[in-house]
Amino acid sequence: MGGPGNTGGTGAAPRPDGGPSADAARRERVKSPEELRSHAWYGTGGLRSFSHRARTRQLGYLPEEHLGKPVVAVLNTWSDINPCHQHLRERAEAVKRGVWQAGGFPLEFPVATLSETFQKPTPMLYRNLLAMETEELLRSYPVDGAVLMGGCDKTTPALLMGAASAGLPAVFVPAGPMLRGHWRGETLGSGTDMWKYWDDKRAGLIGDRELAELECGLARSPGHCMTMGTASTMTAVAEALGVTVPGASSIPAVDSGHSRMAAAAGRLAVELVWQDLRLPELLTREAFEDGIATAVALGGSTNAIIHLIAMAGRSGVKLTPDDFDAIARRVPVLANLRPGGAYLMEDFHYAGGLPGLLARLAEAGHLHLDRPTAAHATLREQIAGALVHDDDVIRPLDEPLAAEGGIAVLRGNLAPDGAVIKHIAAEPRLLRHTGPAVVFENYRQLQDRIDDPALSITADSVLVLRGSGPLGGPGMPEYGMLPIPAYLLKEGVRDMVRLSDARMSGTSYGACVLHIAPESHAGGPLALVRTGDPVTLDVPARLLRLEVDEAELARRREELRPPPAPYGRGYGALYQRHITQADTGCDFDFLARPGEVPEPYAG
């Protein structure tokens, strides 16, 4: 049978088995051409409408090509410096082909590209900027619906946050994972094996020649990381939310099925416009709970917590870190994927992809099966008939990779608003640990001093990095996998307890406590830690505690002085005035709050 991206010729969205889509009633039009949003620009008798039609003729389009048809914006995050998206220029043509086939009129919009690899200090600083651009483009142009093209870590949540706020019908097209890496007979995972072999280099186990070979073997094609990092986590979550073509999230970027999926997404977007099925109607609390369950079952990135909280907020749904912890306690890890497991995204795709994993979660009662998706009347219908073809890649319910989810939310006097650890990717011996703190004020100091023997860091030390949160980073960079001193690496130490108010890459691993809230720059307790203070991590008890008496902490608190704001002007100044903390999603307060936004007057 056909895979994702095949359709049955009826204009219906594809099922995982390639068969026809939802019931006929769901596919009936509820809008007339005169009710299309774009009609306000093109269809009235005034001067402005005449001008809009004349300028469309200037673009080279005939009246019959666009009048009375759904106008679908294709928001493309392609750029020359984003390797995850370097194929999206071509895929946009496939999307437009699908829109034309379904009787719509596609218009491609270039939007900000957030390259995890190159953008500094972190693309997280600019996630909300892309969300704003998405929302305002969709609102201010003659657009009836949208296809959102992304995949590199921050692009998925940013596009969906903006589109949810705009409130139009929308379909997400995941960029897809790159091919497996290879080096000297080994299969490599981007990110995960980069950290591993970089530590081998620092430990003196490999040299410059091996490192040069690894540079050419880690990332071999267009597409985002093929480990279960943030990119794969968030695109899978988008599929679980029901805003993609079924089966879309795991298709390798260079697979021909990816082109077919892109065309199917264009067709689906036109259908959603005629049905008037808007993105906020799909992004319900039930959908977000299923998104969390999916991230947990995948052993997904800790970054999903921040992004899902922000996405839910834009949809009028309140999520907290505690929702993740509660779901993680009951949902097992079924995907045997790096960094917590053995396989890569190609293997996951061939094993049945997300439809197969969702079918197993549904079997255990972990999903809300009667909610709608973009492609089907219910999630139940969407995953009907989905199969798993390799039980080692997508584990059976009675043989999970871990009995409960690999993410835990910690609290205590060091993290009154919560902190996060991906404990499935840590050495089990460290999940209950007390050790003396070694404190670094910022990441540059950490880089400069981590190998200094004078710090007397041992395997039992607790490395503490502050000044790296939403304000302090700025932008909450992925500094959370703090490096281990080279002299300890040479002794065979490969994991230590590490604390920070930063994030870490979803491809990272180790006993790294992240997202400590409030951050040190906001006066959080992390700012009170001194080198030598005992720190306790107890993951089973969900505890993170500074073992210093309250009177001493109160004295230290009185001595605190707020650090200077890094930005005196520009977007950075806007960011630092309005950014919220990790536990509430790091959105801008003025974007996250409810409120009416008027439709622009087009006449």
Side-chain angles (χ1 to χ4, degrees):
M1 300 295 288
N6 291 330
T7 58
T10 64
R15 287 167 41 133
D17 62 0
S21 184
D23 55 279
R26 167 77 184 273
R27 297 298 161 194
E28 289 180 359
R29 291 186 183 184
V30 300
K31 271 191 169 184
S32 68
E34 293 73 28
E35 293 173 309
L36 293 172
R37 186 172 178 272
S38 57
H39 181 78
W41 273 261
Y42 285 121
T44 65
L47 170 63
R48 292 296 178 190
S49 192
F50 166 73
S51 173
H52 298 150
R53 294 193 300 270
R55 291 300 188 177
T56 307
R57 303 299 159 267
Q58 182 185 8
L59 290 168
Y61 294 110
L62 296 165
E64 54 267 32
E65 290 184 87
H66 72 97
L67 291 180
K69 296 181 177 181
V71 178
V72 175
V74 182
L75 270 56
N76 193 350
T77 51
W78 170 89
S79 86
D80 270 333
I81 201 167
N82 193 335
C84 306
H85 296 179
Q86 78 182 91
H87 58 306
L88 292 189
R89 175 183 270 181
E90 298 172 0
R91 294 297 179 270
E93 295 304 313
V95 171
K96 288 189 274 188
R97 184 177 81 234
V99 173
W100 286 117
Q101 288 172 346
F105 180 62
L107 293 172
E108 185 176 354
F109 291 76
V111 292
T113 190
L114 307 182
S115 173
E116 197 64 38
T117 307
F118 291 104
Q119 194 168 30
K120 306 301 179 190
T122 168
M124 185 64 179
L125 185 68
Y126 302 104
R127 183 199 68 182
N128 298 342
L129 183 63
L130 175 55
M132 291 171 69
E133 182 181 20
T134 298
E135 176 180 353
E136 299 306 328
L137 278 176
L138 295 181
R139 179 174 289 116
S140 60
Y141 280 95
V143 168
D144 300 300
V147 175
L148 315 168
M149 304 184 69
C152 190
D153 297 14
K154 313 304 178 293
T155 56
T156 301
L159 290 165
L160 288 170
M161 287 163 66
S165 293
L168 298 180
V171 181
F172 182 73
V173 170
M178 67 177 88
L179 297 177
R180 301 180 184 94
H182 283 283
W183 178 67
R184 297 189 178 186
E186 292 187 37
T187 298
L188 302 178
S190 57
T192 302
D193 282 304
M194 178 186 74
W195 313 119
K196 173 182 180 295
Y197 285 108
W198 186 253
D199 280 350
D200 282 355
K201 173 69 165 59
R202 294 178 64 227
L205 300 177
I206 62 173
D208 291 339
R209 176 175 179 175
E210 289 84 358
L211 212 61
E213 292 175 6
L214 283 160
E215 285 182 13
C216 299
L218 269 170
R220 299 173 44 248
S221 78
H224 59 66
C225 290
M226 72 308 232
T227 49
M228 188 43 66
T230 306
S232 293
T233 302
M234 293 311 301
T235 54
V237 164
E239 182 177 338
L241 291 172
V243 299
T244 74
V245 169
S249 62
S250 63
I251 306 172
V254 295
D255 193 295
S256 63
H258 197 269
S259 236
R260 297 193 298 272
M261 176 272 293
R267 298 174 69 176
L268 178 57
V270 175
E271 290 187 5
L272 295 179
V273 171
W274 286 128
Q275 296 158 23
D276 199 26
L277 184 57
R278 298 165 184 257
L279 193 57
E281 296 174 56
L282 301 176
L283 298 181
T284 61
R285 179 166 188 90
E286 290 76 15
F288 282 109
E289 289 179 354
D290 290 351
I292 296 172
T294 299
V296 166
L298 290 167
S301 169
T302 51
N303 289 310
I305 298 178
I306 291 175
H307 296 319
L308 273 165
I309 288 173
M311 291 161 62
R314 295 296 191 94
S315 307
V317 175
K318 182 175 176 54
L319 290 182
T320 72
D322 292 332
D323 291 313
F324 288 79
D325 193 75
I327 291 174
R329 287 177 183 269
R330 64 176 184 263
V331 174
V333 179
L334 299 181
N336 186 8
L337 298 172
R338 299 186 198 182
Y343 294 99
L344 297 172
M345 287 301 294
E346 263 187 276
D347 308 302
F348 182 71
H349 181 63
Y350 301 136
L354 200 70
L357 181 125
L358 292 179
R360 290 201 160 160
L361 289 179
E363 183 184 341
H366 293 309
L367 300 177
H368 301 87
L369 295 175
D370 295 322
R371 63 178 176 87
T373 69
H376 290 276
T378 63
L379 178 62
R380 185 190 310 277
E381 182 184 345
Q382 178 157 312
I383 62 175
L387 301 173
V388 172
H389 311 296
D390 188 330
D391 283 341
D392 195 38
V393 179
I394 303 175
R395 294 290 185 85
L397 291 165
D398 58 356
E399 296 180 32
L401 193 70
E404 68 171 43
I407 293 175
V409 175
L410 312 172
R411 294 189 185 272
N413 68 348
L414 254 181
D417 292 336
V420 177
I421 185 171
K422 187 174 182 177
H423 55 89
I424 194 174
E427 290 187 10
R429 66 182 177 85
L430 295 172
L431 300 183
R432 277 197 173 103
H433 180 83
T434 298
V438 180
V439 179
F440 300 91
E441 294 298 332
N442 54 60
Y443 193 66
R444 289 188 187 184
Q445 186 187 81
L446 170 71
Q447 289 176 306
D448 290 342
R449 299 205 61 200
I450 189 63
D451 293 329
D452 184 354
L455 294 178
S456 301
I457 299 172
T458 72
D460 290 328
S461 298
V462 175
L463 303 181
V464 176
L465 173 66
R466 54 185 171 224
S468 301
L471 289 168
M476 206 178 180
E478 292 184 339
Y479 295 160
M481 187 181 171
L482 280 61
I484 294 170
Y487 56 84
L488 290 181
L489 290 172
K490 290 174 182 177
E491 296 173 7
V493 176
R494 288 306 176 104
D495 199 4
M496 296 175 64
V497 174
R498 290 159 274 181
L499 316 181
S500 73
D501 45 15
R503 298 176 301 110
M504 82 176 183
S505 167
T507 66
S508 300
Y509 50 86
C512 302
V513 178
L514 312 158
H515 310 183
I516 292 177
E519 65 172 306
S520 59
H521 260 55
L526 196 65
L528 307 179
V529 185
R530 302 290 181 264
T531 292
D533 289 346
V535 174
T536 294
L537 168 67
D538 188 336
V539 174
R542 300 302 197 257
L543 177 68
L544 182 65
R545 180 170 177 79
L546 181 62
E547 304 292 355
V548 175
D549 68 73
E550 187 53 45
E552 172 61 16
L553 293 180
R555 186 189 66 77
R556 294 179 188 180
R557 197 173 287 112
E558 288 180 1
E559 295 175 354
L560 278 184
R561 298 294 178 268
Y567 292 102
R569 59 164 301 281
Y571 172 75
L574 174 75
Y575 174 93
Q576 66 198 15
R577 276 201 306 272
H578 296 286
I579 194 65
T580 62
Q581 289 289 294
D583 60 304
T584 53
C586 295
D587 201 356
F588 288 158
D589 53 13
F590 65 89
L591 295 175
R593 67 185 178 223
E596 294 298 319
V597 179
E599 271 284 287
Y601 178 58

